[in-house]
Amino acid sequence: MTRLSDGKPIRGDVVAVIDESSPVAGAGVYYVVTAAVVFDPSNIRHRVGGVVGERTSPFHYRREGPEAIERMVALLEDTGLMASVLWRPVARRGQVGARRDLLAAHARRLAHDGITHVIIESGDEISDQRDQETLLNTFATDGGAPFRYDWRSKAEPLLWIADAICGVTAEHLLGRSNAIFDQLANAGIIEVVNI
């Protein structure tokens, strides 16, 4: 059983935050998993918290107004972070397999890049257990993952970064809005790969 690590320390200076989105596309979904690499996480965590101002509820791209989204985009550009988005079109029943495959692909990339800590947005207990099995299987022949990993709730401000990237990418894939996506892609912040 995985347990949430909200409020626990973050290990190292290069952290990846992972979130997913599954926008409906025809009879299926575009299953999207984002891994955003954050440098100097303590400083960025504090700054991301300011995106929502005095509000106590977490940032959620689909529910935000234009001002909060503008503040988040400005922060993404200012921090120099990098986000990799892997996605795949799947039937609704194919989401579990897609998550496994995309998470494993991200984990291998993050290990190669020297990430010290991976924070995954928690879904439910079963999803978190599947994620843990995926990570254990991905690094089974390597003696375990070369980074610390845990699951946290949406209360973790660093996860808001991955949420924003997922939201921007979902809009782009659905053809709804390209302005913010283009802005981030042109700044070298976001890379989107269909696998």
Side-chain angles (χ1 to χ4, degrees):
M1 174 178 135
T2 60
R3 296 186 347 177
L4 295 185
S5 296
D6 289 3
K8 293 195 176 169
I10 294 174
R11 189 179 122 200
D13 293 327
V14 185
V15 174
V17 288
I18 295 181
D19 194 9
E20 56 82 30
S21 179
S22 53
V24 175
V29 299
Y30 292 148
Y31 201 84
V32 176
V33 178
T34 293
V37 176
V38 178
F39 304 95
D40 191 11
S42 296
N43 177 42
I44 301 305
R45 177 194 251 171
H46 175 72
R47 291 181 61 195
V48 171
V51 168
V52 296
E54 299 298 316
R55 192 179 84 200
T56 58
S57 60
F59 179 93
H60 196 290
Y61 187 85
R62 287 184 303 172
R63 289 183 271 214
E64 297 299 331
E67 294 85 13
I69 290 174
E70 284 177 27
R71 287 192 297 270
M72 179 61 83
V73 170
L75 182 130
L76 295 176
E77 289 183 308
D78 188 48
T79 60
L81 65 86
M82 297 176 292
S84 173
V85 181
L86 303 178
W87 73 283
R88 165 184 304 170
V90 296
R92 291 176 196 251
R93 292 183 182 222
Q95 293 179 74
V96 170
R99 181 177 179 96
R100 180 192 62 238
D101 295 347
L102 299 178
L103 178 60
H106 272 306
R108 287 188 291 274
R109 289 175 170 209
L110 296 171
H112 179 265
D113 292 344
I115 302 303
T116 55
H117 192 153
V118 174
I119 299 171
I120 305 167
E121 183 172 333
S122 178
D124 55 40
E125 189 174 327
I126 292 171
S127 297
D128 294 353
Q129 287 175 343
R130 282 188 195 124
D131 288 350
Q132 187 169 31
E133 289 171 15
T134 296
L135 293 171
L136 290 171
N137 291 337
T138 299
F139 298 106
T141 60
D142 303 319
F147 46 72
R148 177 181 176 190
Y149 58 88
D150 57 41
W151 290 262
R152 300 187 186 209
S153 74
K154 195 67 136 177
E156 171 56 62
L158 290 176
L159 285 168
W160 305 352
I161 292 169
D163 175 87
I165 299 292
C166 278
V168 168
T169 302
E171 287 183 348
H172 169 71
L173 293 174
L174 294 171
R176 292 189 184 149
S177 173
N178 286 326
I180 295 173
F181 177 85
D182 290 344
Q183 182 178 346
L184 295 176
N186 291 337
I189 294 169
I190 188 170
E191 168 198 45
V192 178
V193 179
N194 174 261
I195 64 168

